[in-house]
Amino acid sequence: MNTTSAIQAAIETDLAALKTMSEGLGAMDQSLAEALELISEMSGRLIVTGLGKSGHIGAKLAATFSSTGTPAYFLHPAEASHGDLGMVQPDDVILALSWSGETRELSDVIGYAKRHAVRLIAITGTAESALARAADVALVLPKVREACPHNLAPTTSTLLQLALGDALAIAVLQMRGFSEESFHSFHPGGSLGAALKRVDEIMIEGEDLPLVAQDTPVMAALNILSSKGQGIVGVTKDGELQGVITDGDIRRYLERNAASTMQVALHETPAMAVMTKGSVILSPEMLVGETLRILQTKRISAAFVASEGSPVGLITMLRLLNRGAA
């Protein structure tokens, strides 16, 4: 088997397993509902645990739950047996992962949960395993063949654990009404954090705003365009935004005027005669990620931010780039 065929076979094995799990969710409906209720209504934290490959998946799931508003951390079962169980409290919920359900290192965690009435959710591939029997809720995954050609290395089985765990996290997110604004609180750094900021957190404002009244001569508007250096000028009437003038608007205006009358036209023509009406206007509450999408879709490099019709800020592609949102 060549390399491409081997990769394709592994992916197809994984896809078939995911489809099998998806089609069998109906039989798990009651258990899934109970698991979601335990997690969404707990007053403590979600303690995720597992060993080996299941442990790696568990660590990732703990991070996913934490980043979507559910307090969670990963507890290594070996460390749990050497003192870390003291961090687990009765109002916590334990999510234990083990494909076989017979992982010996989980026995201390299971015993502790029973002694201290800590609710236990199991994700396992064996319904009659020790872990499944001890759990308050057992989420039993379908028996599938591993993508490993020898059916030995945990590959497809860990994929199912990851998929189900992520799905639980997303379901809890929706149950709790976790919004895009909530994401910003948990992701303040990086491009995701920048994209989840509000427009009014990063917009150009105050004296840096390039604005002129609609009766301002084009020459004066051109001076503002150059001095502010944003490539755009907002045209206002009684404080409300009427349109914009860009470098392109100035160029097109000059092309329409003969050289002999150009200077006169620049000094006498009002800005409103040159401006483009119906320009894109952003709201202060809009998320930066949505703003980037609008600028890219409209193929423009800048847009004014207005509140009740009055310009209060300006967003440019350069500003988004500098703030790490583009």
Side-chain angles (χ1 to χ4, degrees):
M1 180 180 291
N2 62 39
T3 303
T4 301
S5 297
I7 292 174
Q8 184 175 6
I11 292 175
E12 289 178 352
T13 299
D14 286 343
L15 288 173
L18 286 169
K19 183 178 181 181
T20 298
M21 182 175 70
S22 177
E23 292 173 346
L25 289 178
M28 298 172 61
D29 188 65
Q30 182 62 35
S31 296
L32 289 169
E34 292 175 0
L36 289 173
E37 182 179 4
L38 283 179
I39 297 172
S40 63
E41 296 185 0
M42 68 183 183
S43 57
R45 302 150 302 173
L46 183 66
I47 313 301
V48 187
T49 188
L51 189 71
K53 305 300 186 294
S54 293
H56 293 304
I57 298 299
K60 190 275 178 187
L61 292 180
T64 298
F65 275 102
S66 293
S67 70
T68 52
T70 300
Y73 72 85
F74 178 73
L75 175 65
H76 194 287
E79 298 295 335
S81 300
H82 293 276
D84 282 3
L85 277 171
M87 294 186 291
V88 182
Q89 301 299 312
D91 57 356
D92 294 336
V93 171
I94 296 174
L95 175 63
L97 286 74
S98 172
W99 183 251
S100 69
E102 301 292 345
T103 304
R104 180 177 56 81
E105 289 82 358
L106 286 175
S107 59
D108 287 341
V109 177
I110 295 172
Y112 185 91
K114 292 303 180 183
R115 288 195 304 274
H116 297 276
V118 181
R119 307 304 294 272
L120 174 63
I121 300 171
I123 295 181
T124 180
T126 308
E128 298 304 318
S129 64
L131 176 60
R133 293 196 307 270
D136 295 285
V137 180
L139 303 178
V140 182
L141 299 172
K143 287 292 187 182
V144 294
R145 181 177 178 81
E146 301 286 4
C148 166
H150 308 297
N151 196 30
L152 295 174
T155 47
T156 307
S157 57
T158 51
L159 174 65
L160 295 188
Q161 291 176 325
L162 177 62
L164 182 59
D166 276 345
L168 288 173
I170 297 305
V172 173
L173 173 155
Q174 294 175 329
M175 293 170 68
R176 289 183 166 180
F178 195 79
S179 65
E180 290 179 318
E181 287 77 9
S182 303
F183 263 107
H184 182 220
S185 297
F186 291 90
H187 302 80
S191 59
L192 179 57
L196 293 172
K197 288 182 181 293
R198 287 170 34 132
V199 163
D200 57 8
E201 294 182 71
I202 72 164
M203 66 185 184
I204 299 164
E205 54 188 327
E207 295 183 356
D208 294 325
L209 272 184
L211 297 172
V212 297
Q214 65 173 2
D215 56 355
T216 301
V218 173
M219 180 59 80
L222 181 58
N223 291 335
I224 294 293
L225 188 67
S226 299
S227 63
K228 298 297 184 180
Q230 303 300 340
I232 191 171
V233 171
V235 181
T236 65
K237 176 184 179 183
D238 298 327
E240 294 191 1
L241 190 67
Q242 303 299 307
V244 300
I245 297 176
T246 65
D247 295 320
D249 292 315
I250 296 292
R251 185 183 67 254
R252 286 186 290 272
Y253 174 76
L254 295 177
E255 290 172 350
R256 292 195 300 268
N257 290 272
S260 59
T261 60
M262 188 176 299
Q263 291 298 321
V264 174
L266 288 175
H267 284 287
E268 296 182 354
T269 304
M272 61 182 296
V274 182
M275 73 180 186
T276 296
K277 298 180 180 180
S279 57
V280 173
I281 298 178
L282 309 172
S283 66
E285 299 82 13
M286 186 177 291
L287 295 180
V288 170
E290 175 65 8
T291 298
L292 175 62
R293 185 192 67 78
I294 291 174
L295 295 186
Q296 291 175 326
T297 301
K298 299 293 184 179
R299 296 184 178 182
I300 56 178
S301 59
F304 278 92
V305 182
S307 177
E308 298 181 354
S310 299
V312 295
L314 175 68
I315 290 292
T316 67
M317 286 297 293
L318 181 59
R319 187 79 165 185
L320 295 178
L321 286 167
N322 289 338
R323 297 305 176 92

